[in-house]
Amino acid sequence: MSQSATRKSNSSLVLTATAPPDGVFQSAKVFEAIRAGLAEEGKELVNRIKGVFAFKVTGGRDGAEGLWIVDCKTGTGSVEFGGKGKPDVTLTISDVDLLQLMSGRLNPQQAFFTGRLKLQGNMGLGMRLKEFQTKFSGKL
């Protein structure tokens, strides 16, 4: 796996790789579940969601940050770590909060209004995050 790391001015580690290193992000299993779900029923999900999500995950091990692009707009969908695609909506959330959100232990509305979940871009598409929650929360 090719990987490089750079330090931002606030000394957090920003990872750029084709896949996140093992153990850096607890929420990596969320994206593995989404990837597996897209492999099984991607065409159906793409027809329902019709959008590209960027998940900017903060607070990984040693302050690492990562970016996952979940494309539910073309073909049967895809999940890419460190992707360069143009998202319709960007969600910024901590590693722990993302895991809790997707497993149903954190209310999305509460997370948004308390500042734990930040949305940029198409807010309506951001509301379709529930599609992932209901489909994959049992697999986490």
Side-chain angles (χ1 to χ4, degrees):
M1 163 175 41
S2 70
Q3 174 185 328
S4 64
T6 57
R7 292 238 178 234
K8 288 175 35 175
S9 59
N10 65 357
S11 79
S12 66
L13 187 65
V14 178
L15 296 174
T16 55
T18 54
D22 290 337
V24 173
F25 295 101
Q26 296 175 31
S27 59
K29 57 184 144 190
V30 168
F31 299 103
E32 288 305 315
I34 293 172
R35 182 178 285 129
L38 287 172
E40 291 173 15
E41 52 189 286
K43 209 167 203 61
E44 178 186 317
L45 282 170
V46 166
N47 287 335
R48 273 202 318 261
I49 297 174
K50 297 179 182 154
V52 179
F53 293 81
F55 289 86
K56 196 181 288 187
V57 181
T58 62
R61 188 180 69 219
D62 297 329
E65 294 180 5
L67 177 73
W68 277 266
I69 302 290
V70 178
D71 182 350
C72 287
K73 198 177 211 176
T74 57
T76 57
S78 65
V79 176
E80 183 182 0
F81 179 75
K84 302 289 185 217
K86 184 174 183 326
D88 298 312
V89 64
T90 301
L91 297 93
T92 304
I93 190 167
S94 76
D95 187 35
V96 172
D97 287 343
L98 179 59
L99 190 57
Q100 289 181 346
L101 179 76
M102 297 306 275
S103 63
R105 294 185 300 243
L106 177 62
N107 180 311
Q109 206 169 23
Q110 179 185 6
F112 179 76
F113 286 117
T114 59
R116 294 164 72 180
L117 169 65
K118 295 178 180 87
L119 290 171
Q120 287 181 306
N122 185 337
M123 298 294 272
L125 183 60
M127 299 301 177
R128 293 188 195 153
L129 185 63
K130 282 189 173 264
E131 290 281 340
F132 294 128
Q133 273 186 302
T134 57
K135 280 280 187 204
F136 308 118
S137 65
K139 297 180 182 182
L140 300 177

PDB file of all heavy atoms in Angstrom, residues 67-80:
ATOM      1  N   LEU A  67     -10.145  11.071   4.304  1.00  0.00           N
ATOM      2  CA  LEU A  67     -11.252  11.444   3.443  1.00  0.00           C
ATOM      3  C   LEU A  67     -11.700  10.219   2.650  1.00  0.00           C
ATOM      4  O   LEU A  67     -10.884   9.600   1.962  1.00  0.00           O
ATOM      5  CB  LEU A  67     -10.828  12.559   2.480  1.00  0.00           C
ATOM      6  CG  LEU A  67     -11.880  12.993   1.466  1.00  0.00           C
ATOM      7  CD1 LEU A  67     -12.983  13.793   2.165  1.00  0.00           C
ATOM      8  CD2 LEU A  67     -11.249  13.829   0.369  1.00  0.00           C
ATOM      9  N   TRP A  68     -12.965   9.883   2.785  1.00  0.00           N
ATOM     10  CA  TRP A  68     -13.551   8.803   2.007  1.00  0.00           C
ATOM     11  C   TRP A  68     -14.557   9.410   1.042  1.00  0.00           C
ATOM     12  O   TRP A  68     -15.357  10.265   1.428  1.00  0.00           O
ATOM     13  CB  TRP A  68     -14.291   7.811   2.894  1.00  0.00           C
ATOM     14  CG  TRP A  68     -13.464   6.765   3.538  1.00  0.00           C
ATOM     15  CD1 TRP A  68     -13.221   5.510   3.066  1.00  0.00           C
ATOM     16  CD2 TRP A  68     -12.792   6.837   4.801  1.00  0.00           C
ATOM     17  NE1 TRP A  68     -12.436   4.809   3.944  1.00  0.00           N
ATOM     18  CE2 TRP A  68     -12.156   5.603   5.020  1.00  0.00           C
ATOM     19  CE3 TRP A  68     -12.665   7.830   5.759  1.00  0.00           C
ATOM     20  CZ2 TRP A  68     -11.419   5.335   6.156  1.00  0.00           C
ATOM     21  CZ3 TRP A  68     -11.926   7.574   6.886  1.00  0.00           C
ATOM     22  CH2 TRP A  68     -11.310   6.337   7.079  1.00  0.00           C
ATOM     23  N   ILE A  69     -14.540   8.983  -0.199  1.00  0.00           N
ATOM     24  CA  ILE A  69     -15.534   9.376  -1.195  1.00  0.00           C
ATOM     25  C   ILE A  69     -16.432   8.169  -1.438  1.00  0.00           C
ATOM     26  O   ILE A  69     -15.955   7.093  -1.806  1.00  0.00           O
ATOM     27  CB  ILE A  69     -14.876   9.802  -2.527  1.00  0.00           C
ATOM     28  CG1 ILE A  69     -13.901  10.956  -2.319  1.00  0.00           C
ATOM     29  CG2 ILE A  69     -15.946  10.137  -3.565  1.00  0.00           C
ATOM     30  CD1 ILE A  69     -14.533  12.277  -1.966  1.00  0.00           C
ATOM     31  N   VAL A  70     -17.740   8.353  -1.182  1.00  0.00           N
ATOM     32  CA  VAL A  70     -18.728   7.302  -1.432  1.00  0.00           C
ATOM     33  C   VAL A  70     -19.563   7.773  -2.617  1.00  0.00           C
ATOM     34  O   VAL A  70     -20.340   8.722  -2.500  1.00  0.00           O
ATOM     35  CB  VAL A  70     -19.607   7.034  -0.195  1.00  0.00           C
ATOM     36  CG1 VAL A  70     -20.645   5.974  -0.494  1.00  0.00           C
ATOM     37  CG2 VAL A  70     -18.744   6.620   0.996  1.00  0.00           C
ATOM     38  N   ASP A  71     -19.361   7.130  -3.762  1.00  0.00           N
ATOM     39  CA  ASP A  71     -20.048   7.499  -4.997  1.00  0.00           C
ATOM     40  C   ASP A  71     -21.285   6.633  -5.174  1.00  0.00           C
ATOM     41  O   ASP A  71     -21.182   5.442  -5.454  1.00  0.00           O
ATOM     42  CB  ASP A  71     -19.102   7.332  -6.187  1.00  0.00           C
ATOM     43  CG  ASP A  71     -19.731   7.745  -7.509  1.00  0.00           C
ATOM     44  OD1 ASP A  71     -20.953   7.991  -7.555  1.00  0.00           O
ATOM     45  OD2 ASP A  71     -18.985   7.827  -8.500  1.00  0.00           O
ATOM     46  N   CYS A  72     -22.433   7.226  -4.974  1.00  0.00           N
ATOM     47  CA  CYS A  72     -23.714   6.544  -5.196  1.00  0.00           C
ATOM     48  C   CYS A  72     -24.456   7.247  -6.316  1.00  0.00           C
ATOM     49  O   CYS A  72     -25.664   7.484  -6.245  1.00  0.00           O
ATOM     50  CB  CYS A  72     -24.553   6.548  -3.919  1.00  0.00           C
ATOM     51  SG  CYS A  72     -23.931   5.437  -2.677  1.00  0.00           S
ATOM     52  N   LYS A  73     -23.692   7.603  -7.350  1.00  0.00           N
ATOM     53  CA  LYS A  73     -24.260   8.340  -8.468  1.00  0.00           C
ATOM     54  C   LYS A  73     -24.035   7.619  -9.790  1.00  0.00           C
ATOM     55  O   LYS A  73     -24.828   7.758 -10.708  1.00  0.00           O
ATOM     56  CB  LYS A  73     -23.618   9.732  -8.518  1.00  0.00           C
ATOM     57  CG  LYS A  73     -24.359  10.764  -9.318  1.00  0.00           C
ATOM     58  CD  LYS A  73     -23.645  12.101  -9.202  1.00  0.00           C
ATOM     59  CE  LYS A  73     -24.621  13.251  -9.298  1.00  0.00           C
ATOM     60  NZ  LYS A  73     -23.956  14.544  -9.086  1.00  0.00           N
ATOM     61  N   THR A  74     -22.943   6.858  -9.883  1.00  0.00           N
ATOM     62  CA  THR A  74     -22.614   6.219 -11.153  1.00  0.00           C
ATOM     63  C   THR A  74     -22.446   4.712 -10.990  1.00  0.00           C
ATOM     64  O   THR A  74     -21.958   4.239  -9.954  1.00  0.00           O
ATOM     65  CB  THR A  74     -21.297   6.783 -11.727  1.00  0.00           C
ATOM     66  OG1 THR A  74     -20.263   6.601 -10.762  1.00  0.00           O
ATOM     67  CG2 THR A  74     -21.421   8.259 -12.044  1.00  0.00           C
ATOM     68  N   GLY A  75     -22.842   3.979 -12.000  1.00  0.00           N
ATOM     69  CA  GLY A  75     -22.663   2.531 -12.025  1.00  0.00           C
ATOM     70  C   GLY A  75     -23.314   1.840 -10.848  1.00  0.00           C
ATOM     71  O   GLY A  75     -24.482   2.047 -10.547  1.00  0.00           O
ATOM     72  N   THR A  76     -22.517   1.028 -10.161  1.00  0.00           N
ATOM     73  CA  THR A  76     -23.019   0.326  -8.977  1.00  0.00           C
ATOM     74  C   THR A  76     -22.463   0.941  -7.700  1.00  0.00           C
ATOM     75  O   THR A  76     -22.575   0.359  -6.635  1.00  0.00           O
ATOM     76  CB  THR A  76     -22.645  -1.172  -9.033  1.00  0.00           C
ATOM     77  OG1 THR A  76     -21.229  -1.288  -9.148  1.00  0.00           O
ATOM     78  CG2 THR A  76     -23.328  -1.872 -10.190  1.00  0.00           C
ATOM     79  N   GLY A  77     -21.855   2.120  -7.820  1.00  0.00           N
ATOM     80  CA  GLY A  77     -21.327   2.825  -6.662  1.00  0.00           C
ATOM     81  C   GLY A  77     -19.921   2.389  -6.311  1.00  0.00           C
ATOM     82  O   GLY A  77     -19.442   1.355  -6.778  1.00  0.00           O
ATOM     83  N   SER A  78     -19.257   3.190  -5.490  1.00  0.00           N
ATOM     84  CA  SER A  78     -17.895   2.858  -5.068  1.00  0.00           C
ATOM     85  C   SER A  78     -17.557   3.597  -3.779  1.00  0.00           C
ATOM     86  O   SER A  78     -18.185   4.592  -3.434  1.00  0.00           O
ATOM     87  CB  SER A  78     -16.883   3.229  -6.153  1.00  0.00           C
ATOM     88  OG  SER A  78     -16.851   4.632  -6.340  1.00  0.00           O
ATOM     89  N   VAL A  79     -16.534   3.082  -3.089  1.00  0.00           N
ATOM     90  CA  VAL A  79     -15.997   3.711  -1.884  1.00  0.00           C
ATOM     91  C   VAL A  79     -14.494   3.831  -2.099  1.00  0.00           C
ATOM     92  O   VAL A  79     -13.827   2.848  -2.429  1.00  0.00           O
ATOM     93  CB  VAL A  79     -16.282   2.868  -0.618  1.00  0.00           C
ATOM     94  CG1 VAL A  79     -15.634   3.497   0.597  1.00  0.00           C
ATOM     95  CG2 VAL A  79     -17.767   2.679  -0.416  1.00  0.00           C
ATOM     96  N   GLU A  80     -13.964   5.033  -1.913  1.00  0.00           N
ATOM     97  CA  GLU A  80     -12.544   5.265  -2.161  1.00  0.00           C
ATOM     98  C   GLU A  80     -11.960   6.104  -1.035  1.00  0.00           C
ATOM     99  O   GLU A  80     -12.491   7.159  -0.692  1.00  0.00           O
ATOM    100  CB  GLU A  80     -12.399   5.998  -3.500  1.00  0.00           C
ATOM    101  CG  GLU A  80     -10.993   6.253  -3.920  1.00  0.00           C
ATOM    102  CD  GLU A  80     -10.934   7.034  -5.233  1.00  0.00           C
ATOM    103  OE1 GLU A  80     -11.966   7.373  -5.808  1.00  0.00           O
ATOM    104  OE2 GLU A  80      -9.800   7.323  -5.652  1.00  0.00           O
TER     105      GLU A  80
END
